[in-house]
Amino acid sequence: MTLHIASPCQGLCRIDEPTQWCAGCQRTIEEITRWSTMDSEQRLAVLAACLERQQIPSNGGSSSSVDKLAAGVPGNRSGGCE
């Protein structure tokens, strides 16, 4: 039996320069591009890594693209990825 694991994409597809993680889902570009070919075990590992990344401050309190997202500053926003 194959377990379907949905993409964690939040539709805020923008890579934060300091961390190289997506501002919406916390995945790396490699994780995003490989998602559709990953098996369930690999997807679970990526989701676990994303949860860990959410616990790490991206820049020690200085202004960042994530702060700009919170402030409503427009950027390269897409309809989402897979």
Side-chain angles (χ1 to χ4, degrees):
M1 181 171 100
T2 302
L3 180 65
H4 175 72
I5 300 170
S7 169
C9 180
Q10 300 294 308
L12 298 172
C13 305
R14 203 160 49 181
I15 300 298
D16 180 70
E17 288 185 36
T19 63
Q20 291 297 296
W21 302 333
C22 174
C25 66
Q26 306 299 309
R27 290 182 292 172
T28 64
I29 293 172
E30 179 185 358
E31 291 166 343
I32 292 167
T33 57
R34 290 186 48 240
W35 185 263
S36 64
T37 62
M38 289 181 181
D39 62 28
S40 297
E41 186 175 316
Q42 292 168 321
R43 287 181 178 193
L44 287 173
V46 168
L47 292 177
C50 293
L51 288 174
E52 287 181 32
R53 293 172 189 148
Q54 289 177 2
Q55 304 304 314
I56 301 170
S58 63
N59 57 13
S62 64
S63 178
S64 74
S65 59
V66 174
D67 295 334
K68 291 176 185 175
L69 278 174
V73 176
N76 296 332
R77 187 180 168 111
S78 72
C81 62
E82 183 57 29

